[in-house]
Amino acid sequence: MKTIFITLITVISFNLSAQKYITKTGTTEFKASMDSFEPVEAINKSTTAVLDKSTGKVAALVFINAFHFDIALMGEHFNENYLMSHLFPKAKFNGNFVNFSDYTITEKEQTIQLKGSISIKGIKKALEIPVTVKEVNNVIIVDANFKLKLKDFSIEIPGAVKGKVAKNVNISLHYELKKKG
């Protein structure tokens, strides 16, 4: 009886983990530039994201200090003054694809609404965005472009550079998730 129970638990665990797709090298980019000024933009190529293909649940984690700026001083100000990465080292997203059971992920790109909450600087906000999804060679590719308002996350831009930084930041995501296990 004990052997049957252990076998059953193992099979259930395998089936549950077989539906999870993950990346630790997802790309998250942001651009907050104003025209005719120095580009205010950075890229993070170490975003962790997980998709449970059986439920449509999604989670993502971005380490703030992993954003790379072409101008080091911008990165320093970003981490120390604006996002205070020493106090709030991570941005997080948790959510679900809306009506995920209606979709079958294939090589044909589809747009699906992703709904959940994003947390930046410890401030949680609801977020609903269109996301393109497709699966190629057992890799689920997720792309999205959306805007976030700095004021929603209490990000204050000092007067000296206020006209050089956009109030709405453009975010781009590109995640290639591989089957876990």
Side-chain angles (χ1 to χ4, degrees):
M1 182 71 166
K2 186 176 177 182
T3 306
I4 293 171
F5 180 72
I6 291 172
T7 304
L8 182 60
I9 295 296
T10 304
V11 169
I12 290 170
S13 298
F14 177 78
N15 285 336
L16 291 175
S17 68
Q19 295 298 314
K20 297 223 181 262
Y21 286 71
I22 189 168
T23 184
K24 292 183 181 180
T25 58
T27 300
T28 302
E29 249 179 297
F30 79 83
K31 295 182 181 185
S33 304
M34 296 294 286
D35 291 339
S36 59
F37 287 104
E38 194 75 47
V40 179
E41 54 191 41
I43 189 166
N44 180 322
K45 293 185 177 184
S46 60
T47 301
T48 299
V50 179
L51 165 65
D52 185 332
K53 193 175 176 186
S54 64
T55 64
K57 288 186 178 186
V58 177
L61 179 70
V62 179
F63 283 97
I64 300 301
N65 64 6
F67 277 100
H68 171 74
F69 290 78
D70 286 339
I71 300 169
L73 186 59
M74 275 188 197
E76 191 175 311
H77 289 297
F78 173 80
N79 282 294
E80 290 177 11
N81 303 327
Y82 306 132
L83 266 67
M84 298 183 286
S85 62
H86 59 287
L87 297 174
F88 307 102
K90 303 173 240 180
K92 302 173 197 167
F93 175 84
N94 284 299
N96 291 291
F97 283 109
V98 177
N99 299 320
F100 189 70
S101 60
D102 295 345
Y103 296 92
T104 302
I105 301 176
T106 65
E107 287 186 8
K108 184 179 180 212
E109 187 174 274
Q110 306 172 68
T111 300
I112 305 174
Q113 286 297 114
L114 181 61
K115 185 176 185 176
S117 64
I118 187 167
S119 178
I120 300 172
K121 282 184 62 182
I123 300 169
K124 190 183 279 190
K125 293 286 180 184
L127 181 68
E128 186 168 349
I129 58 171
V131 177
T132 60
V133 180
K134 66 181 176 180
E135 185 171 0
V136 179
N137 297 325
N138 296 316
V139 175
I140 296 177
I141 301 168
V142 177
D143 289 292
N145 294 294
F146 59 97
K147 291 183 186 238
L148 294 176
K149 294 178 183 178
L150 295 179
K151 70 178 183 177
D152 286 348
F153 300 98
S154 296
I155 299 171
E156 301 290 327
I157 305 299
V161 293
K162 201 168 214 122
K164 298 178 181 180
V165 179
K167 293 177 184 177
N168 297 321
V169 177
N170 295 312
I171 309 290
S172 299
L173 311 174
H174 178 79
Y175 303 156
E176 296 184 10
L177 300 116
K178 297 178 182 168
K179 197 174 224 178
K180 185 178 177 184

